[in-house]
Amino acid sequence: MSEVSIRNVFKSFGAVKVIQGISMDVANGEFVVLVGPSGCGKSTLLRMVAGLESITSGEIAIGGRVVNNVEPKDRDIAMVFQNYALYPHKSVYENMAYGLRIRGLPKAEIETLVQRAAATLELTELLKRSPRELSGGQRQRVAMGRAIVRQPAVFLFDEPLSNLDAKLRVQMRAELQALHRRLETTTLYVTHDQVEAMTLAERMLVMNQGRTEQIGAPLEVYTRPATTFVAGFIGSPPMNLIPGRIDAGGGALVTAGGETVRLPLAVPALGGREVLLGVRPEHLETCDPAAALLTPDINFVELLGSDSLVYGYLGADKRGVRLAARLHATSTRAHDGALPLRFEPENLHVFDPATGRRIEV
Amino acid sequence: MAAEKRAYFPVGWLPYALVAPQLAITLVFFMWPASQAIWQSLLIQDAFGLNVEFVGLLNFRELFADPYYINSFKVTAIFSVTMTVAALGVALVLAACCDYLIRGVQVYQTLLIWPYAVAPVVAAVLWSFIFNPTLGILTYALHTWFGVTWNHMLNGNQALTLIIIAAGWKQISYNFLFFLAGMQAIPKSLIEAAAIDGAGPFRRFMTVVLPLISPTTFFLLVVNIVYAFFDTFGVIDATTQGGPGQATQVLVYKVFKDGFMGGDLGGSAAQSVVLMVIVMGLTVVQFRYIERKVKY
């Protein structure tokens, strides 16, 4: 058991700067998810923790020991790869025992450890099989078994579920959570899937283009996104962002096209400022025209059964601001064309259009 | 595979016409000479072809009673096994080193392929110059530094060593290419997983890389043995011509010597037939086991 510290880490491949100064402290036993779009550097960061990539500058410490120049095998970590990386010529048992054999453990002890790990992951029946005789989910479990059998200080997962089909992914997600609760091993988990990030993480690090966008608990990231990037990345469909200027009284936003969005709470401090106003599709609800805060023109509805996704534009012509709302299936049927919508004050987000940073209101 | 569904098309003359040239070549240049060899191996004739007699298997009986022929088998075995092991071993080490490199792989790869472009006979001539008893630079080096007197024209073991080097040298390039391709086809994450599991470079090579390239190794083993058995005529003819004595008299060279220089056409044909049987055996082995492929 140990903690991981990432201190102002940079990584360049030649002239390409992949990681540009990331710092994070992962507590002992914590489950941290690194999330971001593909190419944001999250896998590279994980591989730097594993020791598979060199660190251009900065420090990474595991259990209080700086490991910049420590070989992967001496870092006391285990890694699960996206393609599982099982040894195809070894049986499931041998795959799991390989690391223990190299460490020179006595045969009896290897047997005990492998059997115990296999029992945890329900692999006992499969120990004699070779990887090619296993299904995707089983291979995934063997890869996890190979990681847990060594009882490392830190688990590293590199998009472990992305090769599985949707149903299996949900199941494995739950198993991963259960496993972490039982083992309480410090875990770094890379994914581009925001649902995986939200459900698995105790804390998440949202990355974009090699930089930190936000570090926080999933709910905190969802309710108080630090930047417009996070607002767009976490949540589906992404948060509506309406550019405009707050009027002098601070009670409404006026878009470039002259449309007005009334604010559910007055922000006199921001009067006259250019801002991006953010509200999540699922926080919009229908209301009487008199109580409406904004009234977009609806031109497209997706019925999902439990609810509907409604798309429209703020402004008469289609050059206006595009909006999405997640509404109860029943409430959309009557509406066509102009749809009056409202939202609660706590669901109002304001961002600085120049920096993309959140402005507290 | 058995349950594979195939599409059938009505066939006209076209498929036959397309296959015909290949069939004609096979028949004229392979089947006909082979059948001639088999027929001739059952005959004894004088060198001018004036007197031909059918003798059944007499040629074969004489062959296997001939101590020179048995010796030729031994020489061939030593030659082909040593050459194959050496050529595979050196190529494997070079490929492993190249695979371990990150920069400059292309340069090494290109340089290491060059010997393959040299014709075997030319390679043999080059090596016999290098080892020439009076002029050779390596002969000189061996004598000055190690006190070894090199004269492959007198010393049978040295002659055998020379043809092993000359024949194996260009095979290294070929083997290297296949080994490197095999190693680079191994997913990088497997090597990384082994590194995280605690294996150092040598251990990774022995426990992960080597087992995973075993189909390549097996393929090369067969190809190299076939090469050593049948394609080294030029090398031997250009360097030792089977000598000194019988020291480098491999089977293919003995066929030539007995048939065209000794004038024993029947015995020579019988030797060809024996070689044919060996090729067939090797081919069967190759086709039966080569299909095993590693799945990742």
Side-chain angles (χ1 to χ4, degrees):
Chain A
M1 295 282 168
S2 53
E3 64 282 351
V4 177
S5 302
I6 299 165
R7 298 175 200 134
N8 201 22
V9 162
F10 285 77
K11 173 74 186 177
S12 317
F13 291 112
V16 186
K17 291 180 177 132
V18 184
I19 307 272
Q20 309 191 44
I22 290 206
S23 298
M24 183 176 194
D25 283 311
V26 181
N28 190 7
E30 198 176 15
F31 198 120
V32 167
V33 173
L34 311 179
V35 65
S38 42
C40 73
K42 56 194 189 300
S43 279
T44 307
L45 185 62
L46 190 81
R47 291 167 59 82
M48 285 158 89
V49 176
L52 299 173
E53 299 284 355
S54 63
I55 299 163
T56 305
S57 76
E59 259 182 10
I60 291 178
I62 298 173
R65 177 176 64 133
V66 174
V67 293
N68 283 33
N69 296 314
V70 176
E71 289 285 317
K73 66 187 168 83
D74 300 322
R75 292 191 181 196
D76 201 10
I77 49 150
M79 185 157 167
V80 176
F81 293 82
Q82 181 174 0
N83 63 359
Y84 319 135
L86 300 178
Y87 309 121
H89 57 297
K90 293 178 189 288
S91 68
V92 170
Y93 181 91
E94 285 302 321
N95 262 284
M96 289 167 72
Y98 183 68
L100 302 175
R101 275 193 213 290
I102 287 171
R103 277 169 175 70
L105 263 61
K107 240 185 161 140
E109 199 179 335
I110 293 175
E111 174 80 26
T112 319
L113 287 171
V114 172
Q115 290 293 352
R116 193 190 305 158
T120 309
L121 292 162
E122 293 167 29
L123 289 170
T124 313
E125 307 288 305
L126 307 175
L127 282 175
K128 287 200 176 62
R129 297 227 200 138
S130 84
R132 106 192 52 169
E133 297 166 324
L134 303 178
S135 69
Q138 287 169 336
R139 285 181 200 185
Q140 181 56 58
R141 273 216 289 275
V142 175
M144 266 158 38
R146 192 170 63 179
I148 68 170
V149 76
R150 285 188 6 233
Q151 301 167 332
V154 181
F155 283 140
L156 306 173
F157 290 94
D158 190 3
E159 309 221 12
L161 305 185
S162 56
N163 281 4
L164 302 177
D165 62 54
K167 196 174 158 202
L168 209 50
R169 208 178 304 160
V170 174
Q171 186 193 331
M172 290 303 291
R173 213 160 63 201
E175 282 186 31
L176 262 172
Q177 252 173 328
L179 193 68
H180 181 248
R181 257 201 303 279
R182 190 161 49 224
L183 300 174
E184 294 184 326
T185 306
T186 313
T187 304
L188 283 175
Y189 186 105
V190 162
T191 183
H192 63 266
D193 180 355
Q194 49 147 325
V195 180
E196 251 170 58
M198 291 295 289
T199 49
L200 285 171
E202 285 167 5
R203 274 197 306 156
M204 57 207 267
L205 166 63
V206 186
M207 285 177 69
N208 184 32
Q209 298 185 339
R211 295 177 204 277
T212 308
E213 291 283 339
Q214 187 168 10
I215 297 175
L219 218 56
E220 182 190 338
V221 171
Y222 176 80
T223 51
R224 292 167 43 79
T227 63
T228 50
F229 174 82
V230 179
F233 190 75
I234 303 292
S236 172
M239 184 186 281
N240 295 306
L241 292 171
I242 309 165
R245 182 188 294 275
I246 307 274
D247 69 5
L253 175 101
V254 183
T255 67
E259 297 294 319
T260 301
V261 178
R262 291 204 293 128
L263 303 183
L265 80 169
V267 283
L270 295 176
R273 240 181 108 170
E274 291 283 348
V275 297
L276 281 169
L277 186 145
V279 58
R280 291 197 181 275
E282 57 270 37
H283 292 150
L284 289 168
E285 54 194 6
T286 50
C287 62
D288 290 334
L293 297 178
L294 64 168
T295 314
D297 252 356
I298 302 306
N299 67 340
F300 183 55
V301 179
E302 283 180 333
L303 297 172
L304 301 180
S306 60
D307 44 22
S308 308
L309 290 179
V310 172
Y311 299 95
Y313 291 88
L314 200 59
D317 56 15
K318 291 192 174 174
R319 279 167 298 161
V321 183
R322 193 149 193 265
L323 279 182
R326 185 188 283 271
L327 303 173
H328 275 294
T330 47
S331 60
T332 49
R333 225 169 279 151
H335 298 284
D336 203 14
L339 180 65
L341 296 172
R342 63 177 293 279
F343 55 95
E344 295 295 329
E346 67 264 27
N347 293 328
L348 171 71
H349 306 271
V350 183
F351 299 96
D352 185 324
T355 63
R357 304 230 141 251
R358 181 183 186 82
I359 302 170
E360 296 298 340
V361 292
Chain B
M1 281 306 197
E4 192 184 2
K5 282 193 180 166
R6 286 167 184 275
Y8 286 96
F9 299 99
V11 283
W13 54 272
L14 184 65
Y16 301 102
L18 291 174
V19 176
Q22 182 65 50
L23 277 179
I25 289 172
T26 311
L27 286 173
V28 172
F29 291 102
F30 296 97
M31 301 311 275
W32 185 40
S35 59
Q36 281 290 307
I38 293 171
W39 174 238
Q40 219 157 59
S41 71
L42 305 174
L43 308 174
I44 284 183
Q45 57 183 308
D46 67 60
F48 304 102
L50 299 173
N51 182 6
V52 181
E53 192 185 338
F54 183 85
V55 293
L57 294 175
L58 179 67
N59 281 324
F60 291 94
R61 253 176 277 138
E62 273 187 355
L63 209 53
F64 287 103
D66 179 3
Y68 284 140
Y69 191 63
I70 304 300
N71 174 62
S72 178
F73 253 108
K74 276 189 208 145
V75 170
T76 311
I78 295 171
F79 168 68
S80 50
V81 169
T82 317
M83 194 220 85
T84 303
V85 170
L88 284 178
V90 174
L92 189 62
V93 171
L94 289 174
C97 294
C98 222
D99 188 43
Y100 195 66
L101 282 177
I102 296 166
R103 263 183 268 263
V105 180
Q106 294 285 321
V107 177
Y108 286 96
Q109 204 176 324
T110 314
L111 288 177
L112 281 164
I113 294 166
W114 279 1
Y116 194 61
V118 179
V121 182
V122 177
V125 171
L126 288 177
W127 280 104
S128 63
F129 264 123
I130 293 170
F131 278 108
N132 185 297
T134 46
L135 306 168
I137 186 156
L138 275 181
T139 317
Y140 179 76
L142 282 172
H143 188 75
T144 354
W145 291 335
F146 302 101
V148 178
T149 307
W150 181 278
N151 191 341
H152 61 257
M153 302 192 179
L154 296 176
N155 186 321
N157 288 334
Q158 289 178 357
L160 196 56
T161 311
L162 174 68
I163 61 165
I164 286 168
I165 293 173
W169 177 64
K170 68 187 300 285
Q171 247 356 64
I172 292 174
S173 295
Y174 182 82
N175 298 343
F176 164 81
L177 260 190
F178 276 84
F179 276 135
L180 187 63
M183 287 176 192
Q184 291 185 339
I186 297 174
K188 207 153 178 285
S189 58
L190 272 181
I191 309 297
E192 291 172 347
I196 288 177
D197 267 344
F202 183 70
R203 186 135 191 186
R204 289 201 294 267
F205 182 76
M206 297 306 284
T207 57
V208 179
V209 176
L210 212 49
L212 290 180
I213 59 166
S214 60
T216 307
T217 313
F218 185 76
F219 163 76
L220 288 175
L221 192 69
V222 175
V223 167
N224 278 266
I225 287 180
V226 170
Y227 168 80
F229 257 76
F230 306 105
D231 292 342
T232 45
F233 174 84
V235 171
I236 292 164
D237 196 47
T239 51
T240 64
Q241 290 168 346
Q246 298 282 325
T248 55
Q249 191 83 277
V250 299
L251 290 169
V252 262
Y253 202 73
K254 195 167 162 55
V255 171
F256 164 75
K257 249 193 170 171
D258 288 358
F260 294 92
M261 299 172 90
D264 176 11
L265 294 180
S268 170
Q271 293 181 29
S272 305
V273 172
V274 172
L275 279 178
M276 261 191 259
V277 171
I278 295 174
V279 185
M280 280 194 265
L282 282 173
T283 314
V284 168
V285 170
Q286 187 171 359
F287 276 105
R288 176 149 307 173
Y289 297 104
I290 213 98
E291 292 301 312
R292 299 181 315 159
K293 285 259 161 65
V294 181
K295 299 232 164 48
Y296 296 107

